[in-house]
Amino acid sequence: MVLQVVVAPAQAQDSSHLGYFFQTGGAIKFSDADSKAPGYACCVVAADHYGIVVYSDLSSVYVAHTNKLLAAASKELKSPEVLDPATVCIAALAMPGVTALSLSADQLLLGCVAGSTVQVYSLPKLLHHQSDGPVHTLELGKKILQFSWCPNDVTTYLALTFDRVLVQGSLPVGFGPLADSVECACWSPDGQFVAYSSGNKLLVTAPDWRESAFTVAISPAEDEDGDGNFIVDSITWPAPNAIAASSLWHDSSNEDEPEGSDGYLLGITWTSWEGQPTAAPQGLKAMLTSYLTIQVSIDIVDTGSSYIHPHCKIY
């Protein structure tokens, strides 16, 4: 089954609920190492069941209660005093080079990614000082760019390697390839499906399917200068019937200034879906825009945007 939809331009009403609000509680520094962890969001996870935060500064991985971090935070944001981790942290794991952290859905397992290896720790054992050693070690053979646990199976995971191969694995049985030429990927909220991007395409499939249920392809924009294409570089699946992604217009004629690439947001929604291969959802819609919000309340999805891009096809 092939479904093609071209989204027409449209204007959306302004929302009084939109905005960004930050309050800085202070800064914490446990090391003098002058380094920045790539992908700040990947290097911090919060376990609300325990009221703790885990983060990496590329020299160690720290586990601490949120309230103790706030109490010890310095108001000197640019140059905070270096603290002894033992005074604040539950655990400080000497693990240099950890570029990503992943917490299982039940918040029992913590995955620490360094190079081609994932060290898996038991969070309860760390909290109760029962053991500070890993309970599992995963070796994928190639540098890992992305790692995430399945929401409904704490032993299953997705990993994206440096050669852009997306693999699915399980702690007892190993791993195998799911797709290649992949930029990024994520699980559905129920853990039954996977959304991943390849170039200018976003595909939705399941680990045991041989083909995707539907694909969203972004066509070249008429208002973009030069030769190039869209690259979907991040995906999230925040609700059962909504996917959000970011994409960049990569101008191949302007390789010297990649920072000049235009960014867009892609929103995909549908009304119902049987969850079968080659069967697209009912009421499938896609919006590509320079500004997009997907507000979710229970099973109601309200999407608003300042401008909906007309160059989006679903098939």
Side-chain angles (χ1 to χ4, degrees), residues 211-230:
E211 49 191 321
S212 61
F214 64 93
T215 299
V216 177
I218 307 174
S219 301
E222 294 178 355
D223 55 346
E224 293 287 1
D225 297 328
D227 297 326
N229 61 286
F230 279 104

Side-chain angles (χ1 to χ4, degrees), residues 18-279:
L18 301 180
Y20 298 92
F21 304 94
F22 298 95
Q23 182 176 358
T24 301
I28 293 284
K29 188 176 182 180
F30 292 131
S31 170
D32 276 324
D34 186 17
S35 63
K36 292 183 178 180
Y40 294 113
C42 297
C43 292
V44 180
V45 292
D48 59 344
H49 292 180
Y50 305 103
I52 66 169
V53 173
V54 184
Y55 72 97
S56 166
D57 65 357
L58 284 186
S59 62
S60 296
V61 174
Y62 307 97
V63 183
H65 285 291
T66 308
N67 55 356
K68 289 190 176 181
L69 285 178
L70 291 173
S74 171
K75 299 302 180 182
E76 295 293 332
L77 303 183
K78 293 184 178 181
S79 56
E81 180 184 357
V82 177
L83 298 179
D84 180 359
T87 63
V88 180
C89 297
I90 303 169
L93 308 174
M95 297 180 62
V98 171
T99 55
L101 300 170
S102 181
L103 197 61
S104 62
D106 59 6
Q107 300 188 1
L108 297 179
L109 296 179
L110 172 69
C112 303
V113 179
S116 62
T117 304
V118 183
Q119 300 281 6
V120 182
Y121 290 83
S122 167
L123 199 54
K125 288 184 178 181
L126 289 175
L127 296 181
H128 295 97
H129 304 286
Q130 295 175 345
S131 173
D132 60 358
V135 294
H136 296 283
T137 298
L138 305 175
E139 179 55 58
L140 300 191
K142 295 180 181 178
K143 182 180 178 181
I144 302 168
L145 302 179
Q146 184 181 344
F147 182 88
S148 61
W149 298 105
C150 180
N152 71 342
D153 184 351
V154 296
T155 65
T156 301
Y157 59 86
L158 282 178
L160 179 62
T161 56
F162 187 75
D163 56 354
R164 298 295 175 182
V165 174
L166 181 65
V167 301
Q168 182 215 359
S170 181
L171 290 179
V173 296
F175 62 92
L178 187 63
D180 55 17
S181 301
V182 175
E183 296 290 336
C184 57
C186 74
W187 292 99
S188 63
D190 61 3
Q192 298 297 312
F193 308 103
V194 174
Y196 69 92
S197 70
S198 181
N200 69 325
K201 297 181 178 66
L202 187 150
L203 304 92
V204 174
T205 185
D208 56 347
W209 293 354
R210 292 187 177 181
E211 49 191 321
S212 61
F214 64 93
T215 299
V216 177
I218 307 174
S219 301
E222 294 178 355
D223 55 346
E224 293 287 1
D225 297 328
D227 297 326
N229 61 286
F230 279 104
I231 296 177
V232 179
D233 61 350
S234 69
I235 306 173
T236 183
W237 200 323
N241 58 343
I243 296 175
S246 66
S247 61
L248 290 174
W249 171 256
H250 179 71
D251 186 355
S252 57
S253 64
N254 192 21
E255 296 284 354
D256 295 335
E257 297 183 12
E259 67 277 3
S261 301
D262 291 333
Y264 293 86
L265 297 177
L266 174 66
I268 304 168
T269 59
W270 56 89
T271 55
S272 63
W273 184 31
E274 297 178 355
Q276 298 297 323
T278 72

